[in-house]
């Protein structure tokens, strides 16, 4: 078992009952680990290196981690010591949601930029510094960007994860979503 990352939208209930196949919208566990690298490595994590190499601001991806979904809120509220603390948790959650409100277009533009610019970079794996901890398997995860080596979840490379991400964004937009975020679980 391990930690996974899931794409969600502000109207997720509608998207859950849709026709988009799980493997066409899933992000691999390696993508989950990529998102978590800034808390693990000293120095510039790979995602930020990719942003620098492509000239793309990846901040909206990190921001997607800050959306307090219902499960997170229930957990926070359960351990609140009193009504004052519960009120504070709810106010912070509303502020965090408001900050991401309507981010679908910005996230779509970011993913489109990466999908356009990354195939133009020669030998991306050799350009990335893993800081001595290659837990992402850089040589395979960042290689063959235009290929889909995985099944949609297992053995995806970075390109396949970004294409799955883009498919989810398109589908979400077609179903009236305006806000997207990550849920870990």
């Amino acid at each position: 078992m391990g930690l996974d990352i899931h794409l969600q939208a502000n109207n997720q209930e509608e998207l859950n009952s849709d026709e988009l196949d799980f493997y066409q919208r899933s992000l691999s566990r390696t993508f989950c680990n990529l998102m978590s690298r800034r808390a693990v490595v000293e120095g510039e994590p790979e995602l930020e290196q990719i942003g620098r190499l492509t000239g793309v601001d990846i901040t909206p991806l990190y921001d997607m981690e800050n959306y307090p979904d219902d499960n997170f809120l229930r957990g926070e509220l359960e351990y609140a010591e009193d009504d004052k603390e519960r009120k504070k948790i709810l106010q912070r959650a509303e502020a965090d949601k408001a900050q991401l409100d309507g981010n679908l277009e910005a996230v779509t533009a970011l993913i489109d930029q990466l999908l356009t610019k990354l195939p133009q970079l020669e030998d991306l794996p050799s350009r990335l510094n893993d800081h001595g901890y290659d837990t992402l398997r850089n040589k395979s995860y960042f290689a063959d960007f235009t290929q889909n080596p995985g099944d949609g979840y297992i053995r995806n490379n970075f390109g396949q994860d970004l294409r799955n991400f883009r498919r989810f964004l398109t589908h979400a937009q077609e179903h009236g979503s305006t806000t997207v975020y990550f849920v870990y679980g």
Side-chain angles (χ1 to χ4, degrees):
M1 301 220 60
L3 186 63
D4 287 318
I5 189 169
H6 305 281
L7 289 161
Q8 301 282 296
N10 60 304
N11 60 341
Q12 191 60 40
E13 299 80 28
E14 183 179 334
L15 297 180
N16 283 342
S17 62
D18 63 30
E19 65 282 353
L20 189 60
D21 179 77
F22 172 81
Y23 293 105
Q24 295 292 308
R25 61 179 162 85
S26 293
L27 300 174
S28 68
R29 187 161 293 156
T30 306
F31 187 89
C32 179
N33 292 336
L34 173 67
M35 290 298 300
S36 302
R37 291 285 283 180
R38 68 182 174 159
V40 175
V41 298
E42 290 185 29
E44 187 180 39
E46 288 86 346
L47 187 57
E48 291 175 29
Q49 293 174 53
I50 289 168
R52 179 176 41 77
L53 290 168
T54 60
V56 174
D57 178 12
I58 51 88
T59 304
L61 289 180
Y62 286 137
D63 290 345
M64 288 175 63
E65 296 177 306
N66 299 327
Y67 192 91
D69 73 322
D70 292 340
N71 289 331
F72 173 80
L73 272 178
R74 269 193 295 278
E76 290 285 301
L77 293 171
E78 182 178 331
Y79 293 104
E81 293 190 20
D82 55 28
D83 285 340
K84 184 178 179 180
E85 188 177 348
R86 277 189 268 298
K87 184 177 180 180
K88 198 175 190 180
I89 290 167
L90 290 170
Q91 287 173 337
R92 187 179 68 238
E94 286 306 311
D96 289 346
K97 284 182 178 183
Q99 192 170 19
L100 283 182
D101 190 38
N103 72 337
L104 181 89
E105 287 184 29
V107 172
T108 301
L110 181 159
I111 297 299
D112 286 347
Q113 289 175 2
L114 290 175
L115 286 168
T116 299
K117 293 180 177 190
L118 282 168
Q120 299 171 14
L121 290 179
E122 289 185 33
D123 196 17
L124 180 60
S126 70
R127 293 173 170 230
L128 298 175
N129 180 357
D130 66 12
H131 304 286
Y133 300 99
D134 188 16
T135 58
L136 300 176
R137 301 174 344 270
N138 285 8
K139 284 185 178 30
S140 60
Y141 185 64
F142 294 109
D144 301 321
F145 186 82
T146 60
Q147 302 303 308
N148 290 338
D151 68 1
Y153 171 71
I154 304 291
R155 291 181 299 282
N156 285 11
N157 64 12
F158 189 51
Q160 187 171 5
D161 276 334
L162 290 180
R163 287 184 288 281
N164 282 1
F165 199 140
R166 183 59 171 97
R167 227 179 329 277
F168 173 85
L169 295 172
T170 299
H171 190 70
Q173 188 171 27
E174 289 170 352
H175 285 81
S177 303
T178 57
T179 305
V180 291
Y181 55 96
F182 293 127
V183 171
Y184 289 89

